[in-house]
Amino acid sequence: MIDADWMQRALTLAGRAAASAEVPVGAVLVQDDKLVAEGCNRPIASHDPTAHAEVMALRAAGELLGNYRLAGTTLYVTLEPCLMCVGAIVHARVSRLVFGAFDPKSGAVTSCLQGFEAPGLNHRVTSTGGVLAEECGELLKAFFRKRRE
């Protein structure tokens, strides 16, 4: 599958988050073009401020693989990760990040901070942003528009 296909799967997960009144963000972790784990935002339902889609996918992968190090994986997420998630991605040793919409308020990959470029990190993650950005961004905009009604 190509990046857009995996991002489409992440968008489906983001839709599930929205249906549960969570901010619609979905994440899919892939290795060797095979699904390893997935997650969607759950901070409200789980009463856990760290339950972002990225963290949920990383936790599920760690449990499944019996290892917190997820070298050789690619993480697809519908929204540019925040600083907390960037840290988790680095610590998990994810090889590549692909995200959809840029986050001008708290994106920590390119928008507000360049978290993967921080000095002293012992692991480097490559990243690609803007994959299905319009679809990812529209899902978020529609969610917040509805909340303001």
Side-chain angles (χ1 to χ4, degrees):
M1 289 181 26
I2 60 172
D3 287 350
D5 294 329
W6 290 115
M7 189 62 70
Q8 192 60 55
R9 185 172 180 116
L11 271 164
T12 299
L13 293 164
R16 288 186 198 161
S20 299
E22 301 275 3
V23 174
V25 178
V28 175
L29 189 74
V30 174
Q31 186 171 44
D32 299 325
D33 207 33
K34 292 182 178 70
L35 177 68
V36 174
E38 56 191 23
C40 63
N41 266 6
R42 294 194 32 81
I44 297 168
S46 65
H47 310 288
D48 179 357
T50 68
H52 290 193
E54 301 93 324
V55 172
M56 301 305 291
L58 295 175
R59 285 177 183 164
E63 282 190 36
L64 178 74
L65 299 174
N67 193 341
Y68 73 95
R69 291 190 173 169
L70 306 171
T73 60
T74 298
L75 181 65
Y76 295 87
V77 62
T78 57
L79 180 65
E80 179 181 0
C82 69
L83 187 56
M84 175 188 72
C85 291
V86 163
I89 292 164
V90 169
H91 285 290
R93 308 296 197 275
V94 170
S95 297
R96 181 173 176 243
L97 168 75
V98 179
F99 65 90
F102 290 85
D103 185 352
K105 293 185 179 179
S106 61
V109 178
T110 61
S111 295
C112 296
L113 297 169
Q114 292 75 45
F116 291 144
E117 297 171 23
L121 293 179
N122 61 350
H123 176 71
R124 296 292 171 189
V125 178
T126 62
S127 65
T128 302
V131 175
L132 299 184
E134 190 172 320
E135 294 93 327
C136 294
E138 187 49 45
L139 184 62
L140 287 157
K141 288 175 190 168
F143 175 81
F144 286 112
R145 201 174 347 187
K146 186 176 179 184
R147 281 185 57 173
R148 287 190 293 271
E149 291 177 349

